[in-house]
Amino acid sequence: VTGDTGQEAAALAARIAAADGFVVITPEYNHAYPACLKLAIDAVRHEWAAKPVGFVSYGGRSGGLRAVEQLRLVFAELHVVSLRETVSFHHTPVLFDDEDRPTGGDGADGAVKIMLDQLIWWATTLEQGRQARPYTP
């Protein structure tokens, strides 16, 4: 994090507060998610609560799924609903061409649709719930 971290954290908190749901995109390094993602998550607290999160991950054989499993624990502590469905990219060098365009055949389009449909359902439902009865973590 560079510059005035207080201002950056406040700006991030405002963006999280304004959103009704999230998609977190993460690589997997050493069986975990990167430290910069943990820093961003921890810079915000109550603004995450009672909102859904979906995951897109990539990296090696697991496609980043080990990082996602760890993130589920972190977000549960923040009272965030994590979606069961994820989008993961295994062996990314063979899934994209030299210009970072998908080469196809990995089924990602179908997985993305399922995840986003669930995210919209949860975001709508939880937003209505927060309006009817504010959530206090």
Side-chain angles (χ1 to χ4, degrees):
V1 178
T2 60
D4 182 357
T5 56
Q7 281 185 326
E8 290 174 1
L12 178 60
R15 291 183 74 174
I16 299 300
D20 290 322
F22 314 95
V23 174
V24 171
I25 301 171
T26 186
E28 179 181 316
Y29 295 112
N30 296 327
H31 294 220
Y33 55 93
C36 59
L37 179 54
K38 178 69 165 141
L39 180 62
I41 293 167
D42 289 348
V44 180
R45 179 94 183 137
H46 300 292
E47 292 83 358
W48 292 111
K51 297 177 181 180
V53 63
F55 300 100
V56 175
S57 63
Y58 60 94
R61 292 181 185 180
S62 79
L65 294 176
R66 292 176 289 216
V68 169
E69 290 308 311
Q70 292 176 22
L71 284 167
R72 289 182 195 284
L73 297 172
V74 171
F75 277 113
E77 185 63 25
L78 295 170
H79 300 258
V80 176
V81 176
S82 66
L83 303 181
R84 181 184 179 281
E85 302 300 327
T86 62
V87 178
S88 61
F89 294 96
H90 307 258
H91 302 292
T92 53
V94 299
L95 297 177
F96 298 90
D97 65 19
D98 292 338
E99 284 148 22
D100 296 326
R101 292 180 301 222
T103 57
D106 66 339
D109 288 347
V112 168
K113 181 176 179 351
I114 291 168
M115 186 193 67
L116 291 177
D117 285 348
Q118 289 180 3
L119 184 70
I120 291 167
W121 188 91
W122 277 105
T124 302
T125 301
L126 291 171
E127 190 269 335
Q128 291 169 352
R130 289 190 313 275
Q131 283 186 4
R133 184 174 178 202
Y135 185 83
T136 306

